[in-house]
Amino acid sequence: MAYEIEKSDAEWRAELSPEEYRVLRGAADEAAFTGTYTDTKEKGVYSCRACGADLFTSEEKFDSRCGWPAFYDPKDLESVEVQQDASPYPVVRCARCGSYLGELFEGEGFATPTDKRYCINSLSLRLKPGNSD
């Protein structure tokens, strides 16, 4: 799939830390309850750590007690893409650069407007504090 931001593997490795590369480009998950943003309540916009695209806001973040930051909707539906691959749950990627963000779960009974849980790795995100508009 073609993305707005295309870089070689070497370019991504040069720009990202080894752990960021493992998650964002290698589609690995960080260990549960270890991420920077798991329990963060600060207001702002969560952007893709690889390309800077705005993905989620603090307004859609909720405490799912799953060990990773959880959001019930992206900032804009076009900011993320959801792909069904060989994994049991749909994979969530940045629509701008294709970096791996996490997985999407639906129908778990959370009292949110969508009953969706975008379970996202902290290493895939960077919080820009402030207004989440």
Side-chain angles (χ1 to χ4, degrees):
M1 173 171 279
Y3 293 98
E4 179 183 337
I5 295 180
E6 297 272 346
K7 297 181 182 184
S8 69
D9 192 56
E11 289 173 306
W12 285 120
R13 284 184 186 277
E15 292 179 20
L16 301 170
S17 73
E19 191 65 11
E20 290 168 345
Y21 181 86
R22 185 181 74 79
V23 171
L24 288 157
R25 305 310 299 174
D29 290 314
E30 62 196 359
F33 300 102
T34 63
T36 303
Y37 302 123
T38 302
D39 298 318
T40 299
K41 304 283 191 247
E42 189 172 359
K43 300 290 184 197
V45 175
Y46 292 87
S47 62
C48 176
R49 192 174 292 242
C51 74
D54 290 348
L55 302 172
F56 301 94
T57 74
S58 56
E59 300 301 315
E60 290 84 26
K61 189 172 188 284
F62 71 102
D63 183 10
S64 68
R65 298 170 305 285
C66 69
W68 292 272
F71 304 86
Y72 63 80
D73 234 354
K75 184 176 188 302
D76 298 302
L77 291 177
E78 299 81 33
S79 63
V80 301
E81 64 179 30
V82 177
Q83 303 171 334
Q84 185 63 59
D85 60 10
S87 65
Y89 302 102
V91 170
V92 180
R93 293 189 176 277
C94 173
R96 188 171 177 215
C97 71
S99 290
Y100 175 77
L101 303 173
E103 295 175 321
L104 173 62
F105 301 87
E106 298 183 70
E108 296 178 309
F110 286 106
T112 62
T114 63
D115 198 18
K116 293 181 179 180
R117 177 170 56 97
Y118 289 81
C119 185
I120 307 298
N121 289 285
S122 286
L123 280 169
S124 296
L125 303 171
R126 181 163 282 124
L127 176 61
K128 297 187 290 189
N131 192 340
S132 58
D133 291 339

